[in-house]
Amino acid sequence: MNVRPPLGLKSPLRIPHKLLMGPGPSNSSPRILNALSQPILGHMHSELFDKLHFFQIMDEIKKGIQYVFQTNNQLTLAISASGHAGMEAVLCNLLEPHDVVLILINGIWGERAANLAERYGAIVRKLVKTALGSNFSIIEIENAVKIHQPKLLFVVQGESSTGIYQPIIGIGEITRRYNCLLVVDTVASLGAVPFLMDKWKVDAAYSGSQKIIGAPPGLAPISFNERALKTIANRKTPIPVYFWDITLLGQQWNCFERSAPRLYHHTTSATLLYGLREGLAVIADEGLEQVIKRHQHCAAQLYEGIEALGMQLYVDEEHKRLPSVTTIKVPDGVDWRKVTEYAMKRYKLEISGGLGPTAGKVFRVGIMGYNATQENIVFVLDVLKEALKHSVTSSKL
Ligand code: GLV
């Protein structure tokens, strides 16, 4: 053989501890890390194999996802890919060529949804917030739905690129009135703000395992209600991607209450599912309301500290801010890259720069899951203060 074993693979992997206070992933708790090192089970292991079997773990995960989404939807499961795949899966299942989709855009994730919807052949209409740093009013949303008459309205509850929180309450009444589906992206928001899927008449929603749930990246909790399922059943064209086909995935996750054996669709990662199970269990133990409160308290503490440092928050009004991702304006005369590099090199602390429309303009501090503690906020503020002093490029500061 001519290709030699790579030298880099000769020593075992050793990862230094870093505190991940960016927009995700967040650090997993010791309980979750411990779950990740449990023995691997076969993805089709049933009670015939053992008392604690893989299907039982999948059922517990399903219940945990129903809890965090506050839904009784039977078609609730975890997609084997990151939160982004949740976006791909809802659009792929619900859209057909020439369907009109209306997308609310106040950051990169709305833009991304528009890109994906176009790839599935949909006619994309956009409602764009040009004044970045603001969210959409119910009146703006209703007017846009009235004008465009879409089959599907896509909304991001928490825009991690801009730090904007979009309230969902009231939108479901509009989409029902106009016979339209409501899809909500909760990747960066679930667990930091309330999300009442059934009560708010949301037809499909998804999230990510790696943010507030605190499990590793690689799984996307997802849920569809009966209305969404009916839309899928009435499709004139097949669901274009086998891997995202929710009718098949639903059979693997036993969502249709049939006595038929579970379908083998693909090999799920037992390890990642253990992590997600524990992440959901930790939220259930603490209680969802308490988890939300903890994130909101930490966010309030961060806002106060940032203002005390003489810095400005990017989203002016507090009720429009996403507690899990805070965007902070980069002060004049400061090189944002130097600040984030300083924090990482000196303190192994991750603070991120902006993304998409906020690139170069903001820092992004994530407050997520296990990391949402008062001590971590104090630490971030201390490091930020020190890093700013070391990163001034002009005399304006
Ligand atoms: C990822 O979700 C990010 O906002 O950077």
Side-chain angles (χ1 to χ4, degrees):
M1 292 187 197
N2 291 331
V3 181
R4 309 291 306 151
L7 276 182
L9 293 183
K10 295 232 165 188
S11 47
L13 186 64
R14 220 167 266 130
I15 309 286
H17 180 77
K18 293 180 180 173
L19 180 60
L20 305 180
M21 300 293 285
S26 59
N27 293 94
S28 295
S29 68
R31 176 171 170 178
I32 293 171
L33 292 176
N34 179 51
L36 300 177
S37 58
Q38 301 288 313
I40 292 170
L41 286 176
H43 54 288
M44 298 301 279
H45 282 192
S46 71
E47 61 277 23
L48 298 175
F49 285 73
D50 224 324
K51 215 161 147 234
L52 175 67
H53 52 90
F54 199 62
F55 291 164
Q56 180 187 328
I57 296 170
M58 291 169 83
D59 288 346
E60 288 168 359
I61 291 170
K62 192 159 94 178
K63 290 210 168 73
I65 298 174
Q66 286 172 328
Y67 174 58
V68 290
F69 278 149
Q70 289 292 291
T71 182
N72 288 309
N73 290 339
Q74 285 308 309
L75 187 48
T76 298
L77 50 87
I79 296 261
S80 295
S82 72
H84 195 287
M87 180 188 284
E88 189 89 49
V90 284
L91 297 176
C92 175
N93 279 278
L94 295 174
L95 292 178
E96 292 191 76
H98 313 300
D99 282 343
V100 175
V101 53
L102 174 62
I103 302 189
L104 305 192
I105 298 179
N106 55 13
I108 196 175
W109 301 114
E111 286 291 356
R112 185 66 53 85
N115 181 322
L116 299 191
E118 267 164 15
R119 289 167 191 246
Y120 290 114
I123 299 165
V124 174
R125 307 276 184 243
K126 301 178 183 177
L127 182 63
V128 183
K129 252 300 137 183
T130 38
L132 286 170
S134 194
N135 58 18
F136 296 93
S137 71
I138 281 288
I139 295 172
E140 284 173 308
I141 297 172
E142 175 146 21
N143 283 342
V145 171
K146 205 191 277 181
I147 292 167
H148 297 294
Q149 302 280 325
K151 169 182 172 181
L152 187 156
L153 173 68
F154 181 94
V155 186
V156 180
Q157 188 188 28
E159 245 302 343
S160 63
S161 63
T162 48
I164 295 168
Y165 166 58
Q166 174 63 53
I168 304 301
I169 191 162
I171 303 179
E173 278 71 23
I174 299 171
T175 47
R176 293 282 159 108
R177 220 175 301 133
Y178 291 88
N179 194 26
C180 158
L181 292 168
L182 173 59
V183 169
V184 180
D185 172 315
T186 70
V187 172
S189 59
L190 191 70
V193 289
F195 180 69
L196 310 179
M197 183 164 188
D198 290 356
K199 193 162 175 197
W200 292 346
K201 301 182 171 59
V202 176
D203 298 299
Y206 60 90
S207 195
S209 51
Q210 78 280 19
K211 307 247 179 192
I212 292 126
I213 298 173
L219 292 170
I222 194 165
S223 184
F224 293 76
N225 69 7
E226 283 297 323
R227 221 166 153 246
L229 203 48
K230 210 177 276 170
T231 304
I232 296 169
N234 290 335
R235 287 182 69 101
K236 293 181 203 67
T237 56
I239 295 165
V241 180
Y242 187 92
F243 198 68
W244 309 132
D245 187 329
I246 203 70
T247 64
L248 301 178
L249 288 165
Q251 290 178 60
Q252 182 161 19
W253 281 79
N254 199 28
C255 295
F256 301 117
E257 290 193 342
R258 292 186 318 174
S259 51
R262 290 186 193 229
L263 174 95
Y264 168 65
H265 173 268
H266 71 284
T267 305
T268 51
S269 161
T271 308
L272 288 182
L273 286 170
Y274 301 157
L276 177 59
R277 191 242 179 235
E278 291 302 89
L280 293 165
V282 166
I283 293 180
D285 268 357
E286 186 177 348
L288 191 51
E289 292 95 333
Q290 181 51 36
V291 172
I292 293 170
K293 262 193 216 146
R294 179 162 53 84
H295 283 77
Q296 295 184 339
H297 285 156
C298 286
Q301 185 190 347
L302 180 64
Y303 303 155
E304 209 182 299
I306 289 297
E307 277 160 2
L309 287 181
M311 296 175 86
Q312 271 185 313
L313 292 156
Y314 180 73
V315 183
D316 285 347
E317 294 169 84
E318 190 157 344
H319 66 277
K320 294 184 180 168
R321 291 181 199 144
L322 179 63
S324 42
V325 183
T326 299
T327 39
I328 305 156
K329 289 185 189 165
V330 176
D332 285 346
V334 167
D335 180 340
W336 72 269
R337 220 183 285 271
K338 282 194 180 162
V339 173
T340 56
E341 279 172 12
Y342 183 90
M344 180 55 84
K345 279 199 188 132
R346 183 121 190 170
Y347 292 103
K348 300 229 177 317
L349 169 68
E350 182 191 51
I351 297 171
S352 296
L355 179 70
T358 60
K361 297 184 188 148
V362 301
F363 299 110
R364 292 185 301 155
V365 174
I367 300 175
M368 295 181 175
Y370 183 61
N371 291 346
T373 66
Q374 294 188 337
E375 297 72 35
N376 283 342
I377 302 300
V378 170
F379 181 58
V380 166
L381 288 166
D382 285 349
V383 174
L384 209 43
K385 184 174 178 185
E386 190 179 312
L388 282 170
K389 281 204 200 111
H390 285 82
S391 312
V392 178
T393 54
S394 74
S395 57
K396 281 190 193 155
L397 197 76

